[in-house]
Amino acid sequence: MNSAAPAPRPARAVAVVGGSRYLGAHLVGSLLRHGHVERVLAIDSVKPSPQHRRRMRDAEFVRLDPQSPRLQGILREAEIDTVVHAGLHHTDFAPGGRAAVKEANIMGSMHVIAACGRASTVQRFVLISSTTVYGSSGVDPAMFTEDMAARRQPSDGIPLDHLSVEGYVRGMSRKRPDIDVTILRMPAILGLPEPTVFGELLAPSIAPVLAGYDPRIQLLHPQDALDALVRATTGAPPGTYNVAGEGVLTLSQAIRRAGHVPLPVLAPAFKLASRLLSSEGLRDIGSSQLQYLRFGRVVDTTRMRTEFGFTPQYNTEEALHAYLVDSGTEPLVTRKTLERTTARVAKLLPAPLAEMLKESMDRTVAELEARSGMAERAEEATT
C-alpha cells in the first residue's frame, strides 16, 4: 500500500464522498480550517441535515450518487488531489436493510474507486474501513495487527463488505502506484447517528447477552475518529492502520457501567429476547454480528502510534463514559429501581432464567457501588 513511499505534498483540493454523514460533514468543516487546503467538495446522494450543513461551513456540496459516471469528471474538473471515502455503511441498520446497505457499500465503492483510478489529478485516497475485516471467532489472537487476516474469513454482512472494498482499493493501488492509499480500520464509534449493535445493547434496562460468552470490546471516541481522519487526509504517511482507544472492556462490564443488567440467553433465543427487551435495531441482527457478540475483537494499535503518529485522547473506558453521559444513559439508578425492573421481567421468565437475572442484577449493583456510581444517587433519590 505504498507505506514506504515518502509523504506526498499537503492536500490542496479534497473531495469527501459521504460528505452528508456525521464524520464526512465534520471532516469537511475541519479541512476548511486547515492551512494548506484551498477547496473542499462534499459529495453525497442525499442533502446534509441543517446541522451538518452548518458544520460544513462554506464547502461546496455536490448532490451526486457515487455510482454516477459524472463523478470522474467532477474530480478532474475540480482538480481534486485527495479523495476521502467516508460513505461506507458500518451496520445493516440503514433504511432498506441489508440489501440496500450491500448495494451502497459494494457497488457505490466500486464506482468511487474506479473514478479515482481514472482521474489523473488524484494523488491520495483515504478509506474509512473497520476492524470487522478481522472477523470474530474462537481461534482469534489476543490482538490483531494490520498484517494479520481473519482466522475465519467473514462470509457475509458488513465484515465481508469492508473486506471486499479494501480489496478494490488495493487493486486500484496496483494500477495507480502514484496514488498514496491510507486505510483506517476503526472499531465501534458510539455517538454517531448510525447505530451500532454495541450501542443498542447499552440502551435497555435489561440487555440480552449470549450465555457463556463475554466478548472483549474496543471503542473509539467520535472526536478521535475525526482527528485521525484529518491527519490521514492532510499528509500522514500512507498505509493501513488500526485506529482505536487503548484498553479493553467486556460487554457485560459495559452494560453494568451503564447501570443496566445483562441477561444471559442461549443463542437460539437471542433474537426473541432482543425483541422483548431491547430496541428494534436488533431485530434483524446478522450472523456476523452474533459472532461479534460471542467473541468480540481487539486490535493492536502500535503502528497507529509509531508510524501514523497518532494517539487518541480517549481510551476505551473514557469513550464509553463520554457516550453514557452524552446520550443520557449515564448510570442514574438505585438498587430499588433495578430490583423493581428485574422483578417485573423475572415474572415472565422460567425459574432458572429468572434466577440468572437476579444474579446478574446483583453484580451490576456491586460494580456500580464499587465505582461510586450508585450509593450517592440512592441517597439523593430518597431525599
Side-chain angles (χ1 to χ4, degrees):
M1 301 296 291
N2 303 330
S3 59
R9 63 186 183 187
R12 181 188 60 80
V14 182
V16 180
V17 179
S20 290
R21 299 187 188 182
Y22 182 96
L23 279 180
H26 282 68
L27 174 63
V28 168
S30 296
L31 291 175
L32 286 174
R33 295 191 294 270
H34 197 277
H36 295 291
V37 178
E38 300 174 6
R39 186 177 189 182
V40 181
L41 294 184
I43 301 173
D44 212 321
S45 58
V46 296
K47 294 176 66 175
S49 67
Q51 180 184 8
H52 286 172
R53 193 67 185 94
R54 288 192 294 272
R55 288 285 183 182
M56 292 160 63
R57 298 160 61 95
D58 298 326
E60 303 166 66
F61 175 71
V62 179
R63 188 169 185 178
L64 182 75
D65 189 318
Q67 299 186 44
S68 170
R70 292 178 51 216
L71 179 59
Q72 178 185 343
I74 290 172
L75 298 179
R76 186 185 298 114
E77 291 167 12
E79 299 183 341
I80 296 298
D81 56 62
T82 301
V83 175
V84 180
H85 187 2
L88 279 184
H89 290 285
H90 289 252
T91 73
D92 290 329
F93 298 148
R98 175 62 197 150
V101 167
K102 183 177 181 180
E103 171 74 14
N105 279 350
I106 299 299
M107 298 307 298
S109 296
M110 288 178 66
H111 283 81
V112 170
I113 294 165
C116 292
R118 291 193 293 263
S120 59
T121 60
V122 175
Q123 300 176 349
R124 183 188 293 113
F125 183 90
V126 178
L127 173 69
I128 306 177
S129 185
S130 71
T131 57
T132 63
V133 299
Y134 297 114
S136 294
S137 76
V139 294
D140 287 349
M143 289 186 175
F144 280 101
T145 68
E146 291 87 347
D147 298 323
M148 294 179 178
R151 295 296 176 88
R152 290 182 180 168
Q153 189 84 353
S155 59
D156 63 2
I158 296 297
L160 184 59
D161 287 359
H162 289 198
L163 197 60
S164 299
V165 172
E166 286 194 11
Y168 304 148
V169 173
R170 280 187 281 272
M172 177 193 68
S173 184
R174 287 191 293 270
K175 294 178 181 178
R176 286 281 310 274
D178 58 308
I179 297 179
D180 287 297
V181 171
T182 298
I183 296 175
L184 303 181
R185 293 173 174 167
M186 300 181 176
I189 304 174
L190 297 178
L192 301 190
E194 187 177 29
T196 66
V197 171
F198 182 56
E200 295 288 303
L201 287 173
L202 292 177
S205 298
I206 298 176
V209 296
L210 289 169
Y213 298 94
D214 200 6
R216 296 177 303 150
I217 305 294
Q218 239 174 347
L219 298 175
L220 184 65
H221 190 278
Q223 185 60 52
D224 286 327
L226 176 62
D227 291 345
L229 197 50
V230 171
R231 180 164 178 75
T233 305
T234 56
T240 299
Y241 302 100
N242 296 329
V243 179
E246 293 301 299
V248 177
L249 288 170
T250 66
L251 178 59
S252 65
Q253 281 180 320
I255 293 171
R256 289 195 295 270
R257 290 181 188 184
H260 300 157
V261 181
L263 174 62
V265 297
L266 297 176
F270 184 83
K271 289 188 177 181
L272 175 60
S274 298
R275 293 189 183 99
L276 293 174
L277 299 173
S278 61
S279 66
E280 294 184 4
L282 293 178
R283 290 188 177 184
D284 298 318
I285 188 170
S287 59
S288 63
Q289 293 163 324
L290 282 172
Q291 284 293 95
Y292 178 65
L293 294 181
R294 282 189 175 94
F295 304 110
R297 185 187 310 111
V298 177
V299 296
D300 180 90
T301 57
T302 301
R303 185 180 294 179
M304 171 193 73
R305 298 189 304 274
T306 60
E307 296 182 24
F308 188 59
F310 178 73
T311 300
Q313 300 178 50
Y314 297 79
N315 62 29
T316 290
E317 187 169 349
E318 291 166 343
L320 173 66
H321 179 72
Y323 170 74
L324 294 177
V325 172
D326 293 343
S327 65
T329 53
E330 181 184 13
L332 291 171
V333 296
T334 67
R335 177 183 288 273
K336 288 184 177 180
T337 60
L338 278 178
E339 286 176 344
R340 284 197 299 267
T341 302
T342 53
R344 187 166 59 249
V345 175
K347 292 179 181 178
L348 307 175
L349 302 175
L353 202 55
E355 184 60 30
M356 291 176 65
L357 176 60
K358 183 181 183 305
E359 293 174 358
S360 185
M361 183 210 67
D362 290 338
R363 287 195 295 272
T364 295
V365 171
E367 181 159 343
L368 286 173
E369 288 178 339
R371 296 175 59 83
S372 301
M374 174 174 287
E376 293 180 1
R377 295 185 176 94
E379 292 177 2
E380 293 171 1
T382 58
T383 58

